[in-house]
């Protein structure tokens, strides 16, 4: 039987699609403040939601024991609890489903000898990344169950960034199988795309910091911050020493996210400009053009999300477009690498 066949590619792309859905639901979970509604972790039985009044009341009583209910949602009705419970539950169920979709087909392909040794190694790494992502999810939630009724923004950033990187690597492995033939590439141009990808990942990390600190609800102005300032006074005074403002202060984190947005746009603009001087294939040209279009859309979404104080729909669209932009960056880098 032919190794690394189309079925293997479809399997990997299915994994990509599921991670995409997972990120969407994760964004909704965060923006609706649903992430701490399930305060325990049960790998198997946790896939079944409460099915009757007794089970719902037990789940609600458990939630009442933790800081989010006691300090923020005291007096919440059972019906309101069900709403936030749903998003966290579906987020966890999709995570488990992704694990099944990766593991069972992998074992089938492995036992039927449909994978090359290189793909086996890559697939094992993917499953390790997926398992680590699941661990980070609970590690993040657990940070909001003691004293402070909110998750650590550092852990949120790790959880989100790992999801993005797991997707990007899954997509890369699928592209390796989709385009097995190597070609001559421009090393300097490839390195420019690599640098752009690194800056984009940094921007994703600081976007997670913004989400984790609710920093999108301050300085809801553009192109300047509050009071007509490019760097608002509050950027450097929330935390001490000064450097902590840029990773833990709402104003400082938002300032970095704003600034990185311009840098990402500049890098992708440079990719587009330099690509005009190269002889490119149809797919290479398409990848660059999609990058330019997506970064423009993402920039506008970011501005609107800020100006309108993070409505759920715009917040989710902004996160989803970041995901698609990373996919386009991965595709473009692959086309100029192999």
């Amino acid at each position: 039987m032919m190794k690394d066949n189309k079925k293997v590619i479809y399997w990997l792309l299915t994994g990509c699609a599921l991670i995409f859905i997972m990120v969407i639901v994760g964004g909704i979970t965060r923006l609706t403040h649903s992430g701490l509604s399930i305060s325990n972790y049960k790998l198997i039985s946790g896939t079944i939601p409460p099915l009757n009044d007794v089970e719902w009341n037990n789940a609600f009583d458990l939630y009442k024991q933790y800081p989010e209910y006691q300090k923020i949602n005291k007096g919440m009705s059972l019906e309101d609890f069900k709403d936030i419970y749903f998003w966290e539950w579906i987020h966890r169920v999709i995570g488990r489903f992704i694990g099944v979709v990766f593991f069972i087909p992998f074992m089938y392909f492995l036992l039927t000898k449909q994978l090359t040794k290189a793909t086996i190694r890559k697939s094992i790494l993917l499953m390790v990344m997926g398992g680590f992502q699941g661990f980070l999810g609970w590690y993040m939630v657990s940070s909001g169950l003691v004293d402070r009724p909110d998750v650590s923004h550092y852990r949120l950033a790790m959880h989100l960034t790992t999801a993005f990187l797991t997707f990007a690597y899954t997509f890369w492995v699928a592209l390796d199988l989709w385009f097995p033939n190597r070609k001559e590439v421009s090393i300097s141009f490839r390195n420019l795309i690599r640098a752009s990808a690194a800056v984009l990942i940094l921007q994703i990390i600081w976007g997670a910091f913004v989400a984790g600190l609710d920093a999108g609800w301050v300085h809801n102005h553009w192109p300047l911050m509050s009071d007509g300032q490019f760097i608002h006074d509050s950027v450097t005074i929330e935390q001490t020493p000064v450097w902590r403002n840029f990773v833990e202060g709402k104003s400082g984190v938002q300032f970095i996210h704003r600034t990185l947005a311009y840098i990402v746009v500049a890098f992708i603009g440079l990719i587009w400009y330099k690509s005009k001087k190269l002889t490119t294939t149809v797919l290479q040209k398409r990848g660059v053009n999609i990058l330019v279009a997506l970064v423009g859309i993402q920039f506008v979404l970011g501005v609107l999300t800020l100006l309108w104080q993070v409505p759920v729909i715009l917040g989710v669209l902004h996160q989803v477009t970041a995901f698609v932009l990373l996919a386009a960056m991965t595709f473009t880098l692959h086309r100029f690498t192999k």
Side-chain angles (χ1 to χ4, degrees), residues 265-277:
V265 169
F267 264 100
I268 292 177
L270 188 59
I271 289 173
W272 176 81
Y273 174 75
K274 287 189 172 292
S275 72
K276 297 300 179 184
K277 300 179 180 180

Side-chain angles (χ1 to χ4, degrees), residues 60 73 75-82:
F60 195 23
N73 290 333
M76 167 185 270
S77 70
L78 178 60
E79 291 306 310
D80 288 337
F81 171 70
K82 289 179 179 180

Side-chain angles (χ1 to χ4, degrees), residues 132-149:
F132 184 58
Q133 165 70 1
F135 163 76
L136 284 176
W138 175 245
Y139 182 62
M140 175 188 70
V141 168
S142 64
S143 68
L145 301 179
V146 182
D147 299 329
R148 181 171 175 263

Side-chain angles (χ1 to χ4, degrees), residues 31-299:
L31 290 167
T32 55
H33 302 285
S34 303
L36 296 176
S37 57
I38 304 177
S39 42
N40 57 13
Y41 185 82
K42 296 178 180 178
L43 181 61
I44 305 301
S45 60
T47 58
I48 303 172
L51 299 175
N52 54 53
D53 290 343
V54 172
E55 291 180 0
W56 272 116
N57 282 309
N58 288 339
F60 195 23
D61 287 341
L62 182 62
Y63 177 65
K64 290 176 180 179
Q65 297 174 24
Y66 291 93
E68 185 174 76
Y69 177 83
Q70 295 167 357
K71 296 182 179 181
I72 297 177
N73 290 333
K74 199 169 186 65
M76 167 185 270
S77 70
L78 178 60
E79 291 306 310
D80 288 337
F81 171 70
K82 289 179 179 180
D83 288 339
I84 63 172
Y85 187 100
F86 169 78
W87 287 113
E88 175 62 11
W89 173 76
I90 196 69
H91 186 57
R92 294 188 186 195
V93 167
I94 294 170
R96 291 174 174 88
F97 184 62
I98 290 174
V100 172
V101 167
F102 265 98
F103 181 72
I104 293 179
F106 171 71
M107 293 306 299
Y108 168 75
F109 291 134
L110 184 65
L111 293 173
T112 55
K113 300 184 179 352
Q114 295 186 53
L115 302 173
T116 62
K117 288 183 179 179
T119 303
I120 292 171
R121 288 194 298 271
K122 293 172 185 176
S123 299
I124 290 172
L125 177 57
L126 279 174
M127 286 189 288
V128 170
M129 291 174 73
F132 184 58
Q133 165 70 1
F135 163 76
L136 284 176
W138 175 245
Y139 182 62
M140 175 188 70
V141 168
S142 64
S143 68
L145 301 179
V146 182
D147 299 329
R148 181 171 175 263
D150 202 359
V151 300
S152 161
H153 69 291
Y154 290 118
R155 297 188 190 186
L156 173 66
M158 286 191 289
H159 184 53
L160 180 65
T161 305
T162 305
F164 275 65
L165 292 178
T166 303
F167 163 83
Y169 187 57
T170 306
F171 192 33
W172 186 274
V173 175
L175 290 172
D176 277 347
L177 305 184
W178 203 341
F179 302 102
N181 298 323
R182 292 182 174 271
K183 58 186 181 302
E184 293 294 325
V185 297
S186 167
I187 301 299
S188 61
F189 191 72
R190 181 204 64 190
N191 289 343
L192 171 62
I193 303 175
R194 282 182 175 177
S196 304
V199 174
L200 178 59
I201 290 168
L202 277 178
Q203 175 68 324
I204 289 166
I205 292 170
W206 257 267
F209 285 171
V210 169
L213 292 170
D214 292 331
W217 280 272
V218 298
H219 305 299
N220 299 105
H221 307 274
W222 187 84
L224 301 175
M225 300 179 83
S226 300
D227 305 320
Q229 296 178 312
F230 178 68
I231 305 178
H232 193 264
D233 295 337
S234 59
V235 167
T236 57
I237 63 174
E238 288 182 52
Q239 304 285 335
T240 55
V242 172
W243 65 265
R244 288 185 61 183
N245 287 282
F246 302 108
V247 291
E248 295 181 8
K250 291 185 179 183
S251 296
V253 163
Q254 193 196 103
F255 174 73
I256 295 294
H257 194 52
R258 284 172 174 256
T259 305
L260 282 172
Y262 294 115
I263 296 173
V264 170
V265 169
F267 264 100
I268 292 177
L270 188 59
I271 289 173
W272 176 81
Y273 174 75
K274 287 189 172 292
S275 72
K276 297 300 179 184
K277 300 179 180 180
L278 300 175
T279 301
T280 54
T281 66
V282 171
L283 289 178
Q284 287 173 333
K285 186 178 298 183
R286 188 173 297 164
V288 171
N289 289 340
I290 290 172
L291 264 183
V292 172
L294 283 173
V295 80
I297 293 169
Q298 176 68 337
F299 191 90

